[in-house]
Amino acid sequence: LAEAARAHDVVYCIEPLSRVETPVLNTVAEAAALVDRIGSPALRTMFDLSAASQTEAQPVEQVLARHLATGHVAHVQLNDRNRRGPGQGDTPVAPVLRVLRDAGYSGWIALEPFDYHPEPLACAAASTAYVRGAWEALT
């Protein structure tokens, strides 16, 4: 997979998920260790706020900061641990955005709800407005 990604000039990201979703890779450290074992620049990991909030032993912003600093994280997904959009639960987003800003992260940030409450377009609008507002409050 890493060779195919490199041949097509893309980066493939390994996504650690919660223990409810998989018994395979549950922490960013586990995904980063797999990336290191394979040793290809075309293979990195990603940070999923919902999964990290359910699985990581340390505060998620500390986990993200550590793995951004090592160059492992190439993609970020924001969502709430309740599987709704960011801002639709009690998972703090501002500390994660602060880490991204302070690290000079310039990669993709995706909003990834699974429960589109109250309906898909309203969920997208509310999630986008929440993240934009939280980002602007940092500056």
Side-chain angles (χ1 to χ4, degrees), residues 10-135:
V10 297
V11 173
Y12 187 87
C13 294
I14 302 295
E15 181 178 10
L17 297 172
S18 74
R19 289 177 180 84
V20 172
E21 297 167 295
T22 184
V24 182
L25 295 171
N26 303 120
T27 66
V28 179
E30 291 170 351
L34 176 63
V35 168
D36 287 345
R37 271 196 312 271
I38 295 170
S40 169
L43 186 64
R44 310 248 310 270
T45 189
M46 60 189 305
F47 177 85
D48 180 293
L49 180 56
S50 177
S53 296
Q54 296 175 50
T55 306
E56 298 289 349
Q58 294 183 313
V60 294
E61 63 272 14
Q62 290 177 15
V63 172
L64 177 59
R66 183 172 55 256
H67 292 286
L68 274 173
T70 63
H72 284 102
V73 175
H75 179 75
V76 174
Q77 292 177 168
L78 298 179
N79 39 26
D80 195 90
R81 68 181 295 130
N82 69 10
R83 316 272 293 159
R84 290 186 178 176
Q88 293 184 322
D90 61 3
T91 304
V93 175
V96 170
L97 294 175
R98 186 175 295 109
V99 166
L100 295 171
R101 182 203 61 196
D102 291 350
Y105 178 77
S106 61
W108 287 97
I109 299 173
L111 306 181
E112 187 195 37
F114 293 93
D115 177 359
Y116 300 100
H117 180 78
E119 54 87 27
L121 291 178
C123 176
S127 297
T128 301
Y130 179 82
V131 171
R132 280 190 178 145
W135 183 265

